Amino acid sequence: MKHTFALLPLATLALLAGCAGQAPLPEGAALNLQGGPTFRVDLRETPLNALDAAARTRLSQDTAVEVTLRSGTALMYRNVAGHIVVDGDMLLGRSEDAAEVLARLDKAPAGSLGTQSLSRFAAGGGNWANRTVPYFWKQGALTATQAAAVNAAVERWNAQAGATLRWVWNPGATHKVEFVVGGGGCGSSYVGAIGGTQPLTIAPNCFNNSTIIHEMGHASGFHHEHQRCDRDNYITVGSAYVGDTTNFGRTCSAYTHGPYDYDSVMNYFPPYIYARSQPVGTYNGSPGNLGKVPDLSRGDLFALQAIYPGGTTPPPTTGRTYTGTLGSGAATVQPGSSGFSYAGGTLKGALTGPAGSDFDLYLQRWSGSAWGTVAQSTSPGHTEAITSAAGAGTYRWYIYSYSGSGAYSLVETK
Ligand SMILES: [Zn+2]
């Protein structure tokens, strides 16, 4: 729950996407939202095998296609760079195989066609074997800068989630992800493993952590957080995109794990979606973080562990833990009122308060004359997490009990 500081005005939320010096360019920036005519086919009137050659060609080539399956389910997709794309950046198959992909989908039982199941159904794939996603790129396919950005994103992923699902460079693997540079959007990927070599595309101006980790999330098996069946309780779709069910529909047959997570890297961000000012029900993360967290959130990690059970997230290697107790309504600072100096980089804090309590976490920076809040995590629950791209300076953690009392622990990772 949000705590209003009486004496310390809340500074602007300063969670940043991407690296220092790199403009945050989240993936939705590249949604292929241009208009143009939609080619429509109704398989209840004309079965696939009765379509003429011209119509079959349009299924593979037209930018926007809407197919009504025999079950009555409407499937909207775009052909982008040789791939069938749904929901902005998720791939269903190769455009040249459109008729084949549609034929499989047409046989699926009515009501079972969430995008995730669509993707998996079309591909017959799913989880990666041995908790490992082999990846590579062709020599010369990425510039040195682009390669460094992917390496950095993979390092961050593995530091957080490596024990659950690790990305490993392995050009010789049979089933693997190939990083390619492409246009038509900020990024795109299949959902889960489809078998063989599958592309993960990043546009030239989108090589930042947010975009790369978001697409790695898709390739690992994640759907969009903002397309959850219950998303209307937590977010609203921007007015310009409300009618665009191709990219902003709800997916009610996809699996979800835990409450809606504003911190998930699988969210889009304004102006595509906005956090509701009055969310309905329990949620994780902070509404202000929508689309700004350049890492897997705690919720993402739990979801990944649900997809790949049995693994454990490794403890932070460079972290330290602060502990203490707080009464209801009380606050404290760690590691002390004078804080700590920090050379700059990603700064994370993960707070766990007593069960049933509502403890909140703030990251504050010394301006030279006062402490100002630069990041906050104020969910109604007893766990909070902050990931901040922090510049050099003096910082401290501010821990507040909105309700409840007892022991807390705060794990700080630099
Ligand atoms: Zn996406």
Side-chain angles (χ1 to χ4, degrees):
M1 217 42 89
K2 193 163 183 167
H3 166 48
T4 305
F5 285 89
L7 299 172
L8 301 168
L10 286 174
T12 313
L13 198 66
L15 288 181
L16 300 176
C19 311
Q22 191 177 38
L25 231 185
E27 153 234 17
L31 289 175
N32 184 23
L33 296 178
Q34 69 266 30
T38 299
F39 177 52
R40 290 190 169 81
V41 172
D42 191 335
L43 300 183
R44 294 170 302 185
E45 294 167 5
T46 314
L48 263 174
N49 56 16
L51 290 176
D52 61 27
R56 294 171 78 90
T57 299
R58 295 192 67 178
L59 291 176
S60 297
Q61 294 185 356
D62 275 31
T63 302
V65 181
E66 178 181 324
V67 177
T68 305
L69 304 174
R70 284 182 298 179
S71 64
T73 302
L75 168 69
M76 285 150 285
Y77 67 87
R78 294 167 196 274
N79 287 298
V80 181
H83 284 91
I84 300 167
V85 182
V86 295
D87 292 339
D89 67 337
M90 288 181 246
L91 305 178
L92 273 191
R94 294 190 175 281
S95 292
E96 63 192 10
D97 301 329
E100 187 185 321
V101 170
L102 290 169
R104 286 188 211 144
L105 298 177
D106 202 32
K107 291 176 188 162
S112 70
L113 295 177
T115 303
Q116 189 165 32
S117 51
L118 281 177
S119 180
R120 293 189 169 187
F121 188 88
N127 287 13
W128 293 91
N130 305 318
R131 300 185 179 284
T132 303
V133 183
Y135 73 92
F136 80 112
W137 55 82
K138 294 196 178 99
Q139 194 173 6
L142 273 62
T143 66
T145 307
Q146 290 165 346
V150 174
N151 287 337
V154 167
E155 230 170 79
R156 287 168 81 121
W157 178 290
N158 286 343
Q160 285 189 288
T164 304
L165 185 68
R166 180 172 294 277
W167 285 62
V168 176
W169 175 269
N170 186 358
T174 305
H175 309 299
K176 56 187 179 281
V177 168
E178 178 181 6
F179 282 88
V180 293
V181 183
C186 228
S188 64
S189 172
Y190 284 89
V191 176
I194 67 162
T197 299
Q198 63 187 75
L200 188 162
T201 303
I202 305 289
N205 60 342
C206 296
F207 276 81
N208 56 70
N209 276 313
S210 298
T211 301
I212 298 170
I213 291 179
H214 178 104
E215 299 305 339
M216 289 169 68
H218 281 318
S220 299
F222 285 159
H223 198 272
H224 282 143
E225 188 74 356
H226 63 269
Q227 292 189 285
R228 285 169 59 129
C229 200
D230 61 355
R231 64 100 189 268
D232 290 336
N233 289 336
Y234 306 98
I235 60 142
T236 55
V237 175
S239 57
Y241 309 104
V242 167
D244 183 359
T245 52
T246 307
N247 294 308
F248 294 98
R250 292 186 305 144
T251 303
C252 290
S253 58
Y255 299 107
T256 56
H257 303 282
Y260 195 93
D261 183 10
Y262 288 108
D263 285 359
S264 171
V265 78
M266 303 312 294
N267 280 305
Y268 284 175
F269 53 93
Y272 302 107
I273 61 169
Y274 294 89
R276 279 182 60 149
S277 54
Q278 301 284 338
V280 179
T282 306
Y283 58 87
N284 283 336
S286 296
N289 289 353
L290 202 60
K292 294 180 181 174
V293 180
D295 278 307
L296 294 167
S297 68
R298 283 164 55 83
D300 291 335
L301 289 170
F302 285 131
L304 194 66
Q305 287 168 2
I307 299 173
Y308 296 90
T312 54
T313 300
T317 50
T318 57
R320 63 173 289 190
T321 302
Y322 307 105
T323 57
T325 58
L326 271 185
S328 183
T332 188
V333 289
Q334 291 287 6
S337 56
S338 54
F340 60 93
S341 63
Y342 187 46
T346 301
L347 192 53
K348 296 185 191 181
L351 175 71
T352 304
S357 73
D358 179 357
F359 277 29
D360 294 331
L361 180 64
Y362 299 78
L363 177 63
Q364 298 184 323
R365 186 178 187 188
W366 180 247
S367 71
S369 57
W371 290 99
T373 296
V374 294
Q376 58 185 298
S377 181
T378 57
S379 83
H382 70 291
T383 60
E384 304 291 352
I386 285 175
T387 299
S388 181
T394 301
Y395 294 86
R396 70 181 186 183
W397 301 102
Y398 186 100
I399 303 158
Y400 172 68
S401 168
Y402 183 83
S403 68
S405 60
Y408 67 84
S409 73
L410 169 65
V411 178
E412 172 193 84
T413 314
K414 295 174 183 171

